[in-house]
Amino acid sequence: MREKKVGLIINADDLGRTAGINSGIFQAHRQGVVTSATLMVNYPASPLAAAELPAVPGLGVGLHVALTGGVPTLPAEQVSSLVDEHGRLPAKPEDFEALSASQVLAEVRAQLAKFQAMTGGLPTHLDGHHHCHRLPEVFSALVTVAVEHKLPVRMVSPEMRQALERAGVPTTDSFENSFYGPGATLENLLALLDNLPAGVTEVMCHPARVDDELRGGSGYSEERERELEVLTHPQVRSQVAALGIPSIHFGDLLAGCDEPVHPVSSRCQ
């Protein structure tokens, strides 16, 4: 029986959405405690993010499957259950009416293929924008793709963790989403780090340098600057160092790191 893994993953969502988000995430990795990010492949700034990845080899990069906001990878007529009459994805997962499971799977595979074309490798893991993989059709698609490529998937509830474990898909032991909005403060993050549960914990975050594109397209914009400030704060860096557990990314969840490390992620602890 393998020894239970321990570690802390601090994952920045929305890489590739705007140039300011790219800048903030890379700064939060280089100067702060972010160890992982997830790339959205259908935004104009995503190729710019992918081009910078060789300069941050220690940053694990997953695929942020986006079925809300913007447009799909596939032509609208191929994913008609995902889009409106203008070919756009809904704003939130709860806006879907009747998803086609086969269309969802096709779109997830198309986004993965686009990720591979941009980066030259597989992602370290899969997760869902707006936690869209809470929807059963999306969860099923992510599990299918994860099994095909031996990828971890973000869990966002104990029930999801159990379902992923039954499917043989690696995931974390716990997921922390309280560092968001009013909770994105130095005091709250330090308290969160002080009370990490056993095993591997993922902390979700959204650092950015706020730009006009982000202000115009997201209801969560100015708060991202505050997240960046906290994630690069000397007290947070010192606290993470004092924890005595590895700061890792999702690629390190692969059993004992005895399988090849994905090209987008070069670190294996």
Side-chain angles (χ1 to χ4, degrees), residues 7-8 19 24 50 68 73 80 92-93 98-99 132 147 152-153 166 168 175 181 188 205 227 241 245 259:
L8 172 65
T68 53
T73 303
S80 56
K92 300 289 183 181
L99 283 173
C132 62
V147 169
V153 171
R166 287 194 298 269
F175 171 72
N188 284 351
C205 61
E227 287 199 25
I245 64 173
E259 299 184 29

Side-chain angles (χ1 to χ4, degrees), residues 80-82 95-101 103 137:
S80 56
S81 72
L82 277 66
D95 296 333
F96 285 115
E97 293 183 0
L99 283 173
S100 161
Q103 290 180 7
E137 298 88 351

